[in-house]
Amino acid sequence: MNNLRFHPIEPLRFPLINRLYKTYYPAGKAKKDETIWVGEDTNGLICCVRFKQFEHEQLLTGMLVHPAHRGQGLGLALLAAARKQLHHLPCYCFAFRYLEGLYSDAGFRLIADHDLPEALSSRIRRYRQSGKDLIAMQFDPHYINSMPHDASLERHG
């Protein structure tokens, strides 16, 4: 990876995100009402995460790291770079149970379903009914974690 940069992506480039999703996460799709952060280098997109906006909260969704780059800490680095977005509105995520550690390291804490806003509570129930093993988490800027606080992270490979 050369000069990996993390930044929000402009809607004009959403087709690139959708191509990445189509290849590695077919259920994902960039939508114009979302804020999307990416990690890219000179060869293209490496990772992305979407923030779906609601009236009083946001939902982190569609986190994807290209399979060839997994296990290198890029998901955590992307969330560190998007830290300002995480503070924008209360931020929730529905994590696959096996990813609890990643999101915990990024400052999310496990919460009970009844602590979710109603719009999100009904959504997680629907997802679980379709067979997904998801846990509810909320970003907590005071949560003790190992996430770097430098949002200007750049990696050079």
Side-chain angles (χ1 to χ4, degrees), residues 17 20-21 25 27-29 34 36-37 47-52 59-65 78 93-94 103:
I17 299 287
L20 186 68
Y21 277 134
Y25 183 37
K29 183 170 168 76
E34 297 172 332
I36 302 176
W37 277 74
C47 54
C48 62
V49 65
R50 303 182 346 249
F51 295 90
K52 180 167 182 53
L59 179 66
L60 181 154
T61 186
M63 169 76 94
L64 173 65
V65 176
L78 176 60
C93 77
F94 304 151
Y103 289 105

Side-chain angles (χ1 to χ4, degrees), residues 69-80:
H69 300 282
R70 291 180 183 162
Q72 301 174 33
L74 297 180
L76 195 57
L78 176 60
L79 292 174

Side-chain angles (χ1 to χ4, degrees), residues 58-60 90-113 115-117 120 124 128 134-140 143:
Q58 59 186 336
L59 179 66
L60 181 154
C91 188
Y92 298 86
C93 77
F94 304 151
F96 287 107
R97 191 170 306 279
Y98 70 91
L99 292 175
E100 179 180 358
L102 167 77
Y103 289 105
S104 181
D105 286 349
F108 284 81
R109 62 181 171 77
L110 192 60
I111 61 170
D113 287 1
D115 291 329
L116 286 167
L120 299 181
I124 198 170
R128 286 180 180 146
L134 299 173
I135 55 174
M137 301 186 84
Q138 180 178 13
F139 179 70
D140 182 348
Y143 189 64

Side-chain angles (χ1 to χ4, degrees), residues 2-3 15 26 31 84-85 90 95 107 114 118 151 153:
N2 296 320
N3 299 322
K31 298 171 186 78
K84 185 175 179 181
Q85 180 68 41
H114 62 78
E118 181 51 39
L153 281 177

